[in-house]
Amino acid sequence: MNSYIKHHEWLIIEEGFHPEYNRASESIFALGNGRMGQRANFEERYTGDSLQGSYIAGIYYPDKTRVGWWKIGYPEYFAKVLNAANWIGIDVEIDKEPLDLAECEVEDFNRILNMKEGYLERTFVARLTNGKVIRVRAKRFLSIADPDIGAIQYSVVPQNFNGEITFTPYIDADIRNEDANYNEKFWDEVCKETHKGEAYIVTKTKKLDFFICTGMMYAFHKNGEKININAVIIEKKKYTANKITVPVKKGEDLVINKYAVNVSSTNYEKSQLLKEAKSKLAGAFLKGFETLLKEHADAWSEKWKESDIEISGDVAAQQAIRFNIFQLNQTYTGEDERLNIGPKGFTGEKYGGSTYWDTEAFVLPFYLSTAGPKVAKNLLLYRYRHLKKAIENAEKLGFSDGAALFPMVTMNGEECHNEWEITFEEIHRNGAIAFAIFNYIRYTGDKKYLIDYGLEVLIGISRFWGQRVNYSQVKNQYVILGVTGPNEYENNVDNNWYTNTISTWTLTYTIESMDYVKRVDSEKFKQLIEKLAFNVTEELKKWKDIIDNMYYPVDGETGIFLQQEGYMDKEQQLAEDINPGERPINQNWSWDRILRSCFIKQADVMHGLHLLEDRYDEETIRKNFYFYEPRTVHESSLSPCIYSIVAAKLCDIQKSYELYLRASRLDLDDYNNEVSEGLHITSMAGTWLSIVKGFGGMQVRDNKIYFKPQIPEQWKNYSFMVHFRGSLLKVSVSNLEVNVFNLSDQSVALVLFNKEYKLRGNEEIRIKVN
Ligand code: BGC
């Protein structure tokens, strides 16, 4: 844990220059706009420790898998979101000495992320070895009003000299992914153009032929007046720049505004990229920095109007939840159904920017409630479009007849994970994808989705479960052997309770969905059955038999659902007994020791009790919670949020709050000592759920939305907003009352503290709670 970020309601603040935290700060202060992302690297040269990172959504590289001994079934490649051209770079020289914060004395250093308006600002005073002192202010944003555009305002004020300042704004496409398997560079230059005042490079990926055109323009101002200065053109391989030397006097404010564009062949014709880049950039240049920033800030203000959570009385919690909402909205805007949400978004290279089960299991509910059904539907369609590949994935592993195994890690539907031993066997992801269909329909009421797309996916997944189980003659029951559950600190286990449970849940839901579609659209049903060559008698019989005869491991003595068979044979210890110096255990213990221990990385049984809460009575949930939570080390960012939600359901509000705070400040306080690798974007959605579902007690059942709010004692009040069936509700909670305001014109069916209401548009309900 490393808490150097100052608490503030709307700002993320780092005070003082801490080179040792630089990589962490580069993640925390990262910017994105759904189409591109940028770590908080410095504009000027920096020779200290840094991970330079500019990423463009949907642009990836199939990096050939690297393993010692190849086994059949390994994915051919691990997909990597590509570190793309550095467009933020502006080298600065003061009387010919390069400005490099690793080489000079730095004072008054501040880095601020303004979440309300969506920009990053950095200020500092630097004394170079030549004795010259400058004050610098650098501000930048990636526009959400025009997501191909980024802009930087970089100001230098000499403090103790008259002299010359040289700026070299550049685009550098000679970039390498730090995590490249064979240390290769993934980009080739196609062409470039450099003029005085503007420059462009078109690059293409060595495989898959993604093309990007990156361009820049710039303008200078001295003391607020525009100045024109002659530039020298510099060109190198995959690099283009202008070098401009400006005479300045002590106290003068010299500003360069750099405008950049990134357009890619995923959105524009390859042959038109240069033309598009030029026209977009000319438009941005004409508007100028302040206007672009205003448009961007206005767009953020619209987003906040529908997704903000306000907490009063606890600045740390307020800052954290806004940070999480901000980062989610920076990562995925839901406009492009080809895109998804990587566990680290655009803030680092780990997890390759690929799609994991995280999307369905954690992120979908956030977008369902804060962005309306279209965005959530796009996330489901993403998987629907990958169904064919999911069937091929299953075939590669020996399954047949339309069985679909969705990948644990993917860019285009193909499995492309990097850690075979763990992720390969996490077949539970198929359950999360099925559950997401149920969850979407339950929330939106869009049952047509089932007819048009959902049922086909469900049948593919159910066929997989139907073949993946085997019948144990010893137990006289069906079993699922050799899996990894959500808890990745156990590999290749038998009868993981969660996997067995979610598999039969899926079979049941698929059968119900088949009945529904057959009833409401028999023609479509018939066509689907024919298309899939579905044997209604045989396949359904087998599925029903599995549902009736699945084995679920349960501890005979306590009745606790066993995470997997044999879990109780492990030496039973509690996480609080681990020497604090050995936490996190994944950075201190051998893998062998971790696998042998009873310690749990993340919610596993608890994930099932969370998803399927309606099936289990409170006593069952309670018993399992208090057994598993003390054994859980929460070394996945996805863990504390789920436990926090369940704790709130059990009215253990203190425990729920502790877990919430840990989940929500995981990155800001670097709990697991790894934020340098990037932010935990997908778990941020879990944090949002901790408030809305946990403290707010939100549920959707029978076409009604339920709330049963509680408030942690640390808070004076809090409020959140959710879209539900065309209405927008604001729920405000204090110690004294709960208020639900319908901000829309449309009435809504709602249940508040077990009492049913029909809340008309623009009306509110107030309930005294104390
Ligand atoms: C978790 C997985 C998750 C992955 C990506 C791992 O640490 O154990 O459940 O899918 O991170 O977030």
Side-chain angles (χ1 to χ4, degrees):
M1 174 149 168
N2 186 8
S3 321
Y4 63 93
I5 299 295
K6 300 272 158 311
H7 292 180
H8 187 285
E9 288 173 354
W10 276 108
L11 307 176
I12 306 297
I13 306 167
E14 176 187 4
E15 279 172 2
F17 184 49
H18 305 288
E20 68 280 21
Y21 307 152
N22 190 45
R23 273 189 185 233
S25 292
E26 286 175 343
S27 304
I28 293 172
F29 292 82
L31 292 177
N33 63 6
R35 198 171 279 184
M36 53 182 174
Q38 174 64 51
R39 283 171 61 83
N41 309 116
F42 300 162
E43 285 81 5
E44 74 279 357
R45 165 204 306 218
Y46 182 60
T47 53
D49 186 34
S50 162
L51 168 62
Q52 180 73 40
S54 306
Y55 308 97
I56 298 185
I59 308 296
Y60 68 97
Y61 193 81
D63 198 11
K64 194 171 156 16
T65 302
R66 194 178 175 125
V67 284
W69 287 5
W70 187 270
K71 293 191 182 65
I72 296 172
Y74 276 176
E76 297 289 315
Y77 64 89
F78 182 60
K80 306 226 151 109
V81 64
L82 279 191
N83 207 339
N86 170 359
W87 56 268
I88 60 161
I90 307 174
D91 283 342
V92 180
E93 287 170 38
I94 310 298
D95 280 342
K96 303 214 163 31
E97 183 178 327
L99 170 64
D100 175 353
L101 294 197
E103 297 291 330
C104 48
E105 283 171 37
V106 184
E107 278 172 27
D108 245 1
F109 182 97
N110 281 295
R111 203 170 348 204
I112 293 179
L113 183 63
N114 183 318
M115 300 186 284
K116 198 170 196 171
E117 300 188 2
Y119 65 82
L120 168 66
E121 187 165 38
R122 182 169 56 105
T123 48
F124 58 88
V125 172
R127 176 183 292 274
L128 283 80
T129 47
N130 63 13
K132 311 272 159 73
V133 179
I134 53 169
R135 177 175 286 280
V136 173
R137 186 177 62 82
K139 192 169 176 178
R140 71 170 181 247
F141 60 91
L142 274 60
S143 175
I144 57 166
D146 181 349
D148 294 324
I149 298 292
I152 301 166
Q153 185 167 72
Y154 196 98
S155 128
V156 181
V157 181
Q159 303 292 295
N160 63 348
F161 67 99
N162 300 334
E164 280 183 347
I165 305 189
T166 304
F167 293 91
T168 309
Y170 63 84
I171 301 168
D172 181 7
D174 195 17
I175 299 296
R176 191 190 295 276
N177 265 57
E178 217 178 46
D179 66 345
N181 281 349
Y182 297 89
N183 209 20
E184 279 172 290
K185 287 187 178 165
F186 300 141
W187 294 100
D188 281 332
E189 178 179 316
V190 178
C191 63
K192 65 174 165 268
E193 256 187 40
T194 316
H195 309 279
K196 292 184 178 183
E198 65 186 300
Y200 303 87
I201 300 191
V202 180
T203 46
K204 85 177 249 313
T205 53
K206 289 202 159 109
K207 290 184 197 163
L208 299 182
D209 265 9
F210 289 116
F211 281 58
I212 307 271
C213 178
T214 307
M216 67 163 190
M217 284 176 99
Y218 61 86
F220 279 97
H221 291 81
K222 201 191 266 183
N223 294 333
E225 296 290 319
K226 190 159 187 190
I227 53 169
N228 292 316
I229 296 176
N230 209 7
V232 175
I233 287 175
I234 305 175
E235 282 196 343
K236 289 187 271 182
K237 199 173 158 209
K238 302 192 212 175
Y239 176 98
T240 172
N242 274 197
K243 187 168 183 170
I244 310 103
T245 300
V246 190
V248 276
K249 296 205 182 78
K250 182 178 155 188
E252 280 182 339
D253 184 11
L254 186 57
V255 174
I256 173 173
N257 287 335
K258 181 178 178 185
Y259 305 92
V261 66
N262 277 298
V263 283
S264 83
S265 56
T266 52
N267 298 314
Y268 303 95
E269 281 293 315
K270 277 181 193 157
S271 60
Q272 300 299 305
L273 284 180
L274 189 57
K275 199 169 142 241
E276 287 289 349
K278 284 183 176 177
S279 114
K280 290 212 142 242
L281 201 50
F285 186 81
L286 213 64
K287 283 184 183 166
F289 187 87
E290 300 304 339
T291 305
L292 290 172
L293 179 57
K294 176 154 190 330
E295 287 175 0
H296 170 70
D298 288 348
W300 267 112
S301 158
E302 287 306 310
K303 279 198 189 285
W304 284 117
K305 266 188 209 155
E306 298 192 357
S307 59
D308 191 20
I309 291 186
E310 287 177 277
I311 299 173
S312 66
D314 187 344
V315 180
Q318 173 68 83
Q319 180 186 45
I321 193 63
R322 287 210 169 113
F323 180 66
N324 294 342
I325 295 169
F326 178 69
Q327 291 296 351
L328 282 161
N329 283 329
Q330 288 208 111
T331 305
Y332 183 77
T333 57
E335 278 137 28
D336 186 340
E337 78 226 12
R338 297 164 302 175
L339 301 180
N340 208 282
I341 303 122
K344 303 252 172 233
F346 300 119
T347 64
E349 294 177 11
K350 195 165 178 209
Y351 298 120
S354 304
T355 308
Y356 282 65
W357 77 305
D358 303 28
T359 296
E360 285 77 15
F362 298 86
V363 184
L364 182 81
F366 170 79
Y367 287 106
L368 258 180
S369 293
T370 61
K374 190 170 162 278
V375 173
K377 186 172 172 181
N378 271 347
L379 288 174
L380 295 196
L381 286 173
Y382 176 91
R383 295 292 190 178
Y384 174 76
R385 298 215 162 81
H386 290 175
L387 178 58
K388 195 163 162 271
K389 292 258 192 230
I391 293 172
E392 285 169 22
N393 285 333
E395 278 168 2
K396 283 185 198 157
L397 305 182
F399 298 91
S400 59
D401 301 321
L405 176 59
F406 282 89
M408 184 63 186
V409 183
T410 195
M411 279 288 184
N412 65 355
E414 279 165 26
E415 178 61 83
C416 65
H417 59 72
N418 222 10
E419 248 188 318
W420 190 81
E421 296 73 8
I422 300 178
T423 32
F424 182 74
E425 293 189 330
E426 286 195 62
I427 54 173
H428 65 82
R429 73 244 187 193
N430 248 8
I433 291 165
F435 192 84
I437 296 173
F438 163 77
N439 205 11
Y440 166 81
I441 294 171
R442 172 173 65 173
Y443 198 95
T444 60
D446 176 12
K447 281 197 146 184
K448 192 159 181 306
Y449 185 83
L450 204 54
I451 302 171
D452 294 341
Y453 310 100
L455 183 58
E456 192 173 343
V457 172
L458 290 171
I459 290 177
I461 294 177
S462 287
R463 282 176 152 173
F464 172 79
W465 292 127
Q467 294 174 36
R468 185 60 172 76
V469 300
N470 64 280
Y471 194 74
S472 159
Q473 299 296 345
V474 179
K475 292 189 163 70
N476 272 330
Q477 276 178 304
Y478 287 97
V479 292
I480 304 184
L481 308 179
V483 304
T484 296
N487 168 22
E488 293 182 338
Y489 287 177
E490 303 277 357
N491 296 166
N492 199 259
V493 298
D494 294 339
N495 292 313
N496 168 264
W497 181 86
Y498 172 70
T499 307
N500 290 17
T501 301
I502 204 72
S503 71
T504 49
W505 176 89
T506 308
L507 292 172
T508 309
Y509 181 54
T510 307
I511 295 173
E512 282 168 19
S513 301
M514 288 179 88
D515 288 347
Y516 172 79
V517 175
K518 191 171 167 190
R519 206 169 61 244
V520 300
D521 196 337
S522 57
E523 195 43 41
K524 269 262 170 70
F525 182 74
K526 201 166 143 254
Q527 283 166 12
L528 189 63
I529 293 303
E530 273 168 26
K531 176 178 164 191
L532 303 179
F534 190 84
N535 184 332
V536 179
T537 323
E538 285 306 311
E539 296 195 57
L540 284 185
K541 189 168 150 230
K542 169 102 194 260
W543 292 357
K544 285 180 182 154
D545 196 37
I546 297 169
I547 295 167
D548 291 341
N549 295 296
M550 176 58 88
Y551 169 69
Y552 305 99
V554 176
D555 181 50
E557 220 169 281
T558 57
I560 295 207
F561 299 144
L562 288 181
Q563 186 180 261
Q564 76 260 1
E565 244 178 320
Y567 181 80
M568 287 301 190
D569 295 337
K570 288 173 176 266
E571 187 183 346
Q572 293 298 322
Q573 292 174 303
L574 304 184
E576 66 181 19
D577 298 330
I578 303 172
N579 174 352
E582 295 178 13
R583 303 279 294 264
I585 59 173
N586 68 13
Q587 290 173 21
N588 292 287
W589 288 10
S590 71
W591 188 234
D592 171 73
R593 186 172 173 196
I594 290 174
L595 291 180
R596 278 185 281 120
S597 81
C598 71
F599 294 118
I600 298 169
K601 181 183 181 189
Q602 70 200 85
D604 192 307
V605 167
M606 211 46 60
H607 198 83
L609 295 178
H610 153 71
L611 289 185
L612 305 176
E613 59 180 338
D614 293 343
R615 277 188 169 189
Y616 302 98
D617 61 41
E618 201 176 306
E619 192 37 42
T620 305
I621 299 178
R622 184 181 303 279
K623 204 162 52 182
N624 281 279
F625 179 90
Y626 291 106
F627 177 77
Y628 283 113
E629 202 284 326
R631 288 162 173 78
T632 304
V633 286
H634 300 295
E635 288 180 12
S636 162
S637 62
L638 302 172
S639 186
C641 53
I642 300 300
Y643 281 99
S644 163
I645 295 166
V646 180
K649 186 180 172 71
L650 298 172
C651 298
D652 187 344
I653 200 77
Q654 185 51 31
K655 184 80 195 161
S656 175
Y657 175 76
E658 281 163 22
L659 288 160
Y660 160 77
L661 205 60
R662 178 184 172 127
S664 68
R665 293 197 63 88
L666 186 97
D667 286 328
L668 290 176
D669 293 338
D670 202 2
Y671 268 93
N672 288 340
N673 199 18
E674 48 169 24
V675 76
S676 54
E677 295 170 346
L679 301 175
H680 298 86
I681 299 293
T682 46
S683 82
M684 291 178 171
T687 309
W688 178 91
L689 264 184
S690 306
I691 294 191
V692 174
K693 181 163 191 231
F695 302 145
M698 184 182 85
Q699 286 186 343
V700 173
R701 260 187 266 143
D702 308 326
N703 301 313
K704 285 176 240 141
I705 189 156
Y706 288 62
F707 299 103
K708 217 177 190 180
Q710 308 173 67
I711 183 164
E713 64 178 26
Q714 290 80 353
W715 297 358
K716 281 207 192 83
N717 50 57
Y718 69 99
S719 68
F720 59 86
M721 277 168 285
V722 291
H723 286 271
F724 182 68
R725 311 261 173 126
S727 65
L728 178 64
L729 302 176
K730 180 167 182 173
V731 180
S732 308
V733 185
S734 75
N735 286 321
L736 302 174
E737 69 170 27
V738 172
N739 175 359
V740 183
F741 200 111
N742 184 351
L743 297 165
S744 68
D745 296 329
Q746 189 164 322
S747 56
V748 65
L750 109 105
V751 180
L752 187 57
F753 294 116
N754 303 325
K755 190 163 171 218
E756 213 169 315
Y757 300 86
K758 186 157 178 89
L759 185 59
R760 280 203 288 265
N762 304 304
E763 287 193 352
E764 64 179 328
I765 310 172
R766 280 177 188 274
I767 307 264
K768 297 261 174 271
V769 285
N770 260 326

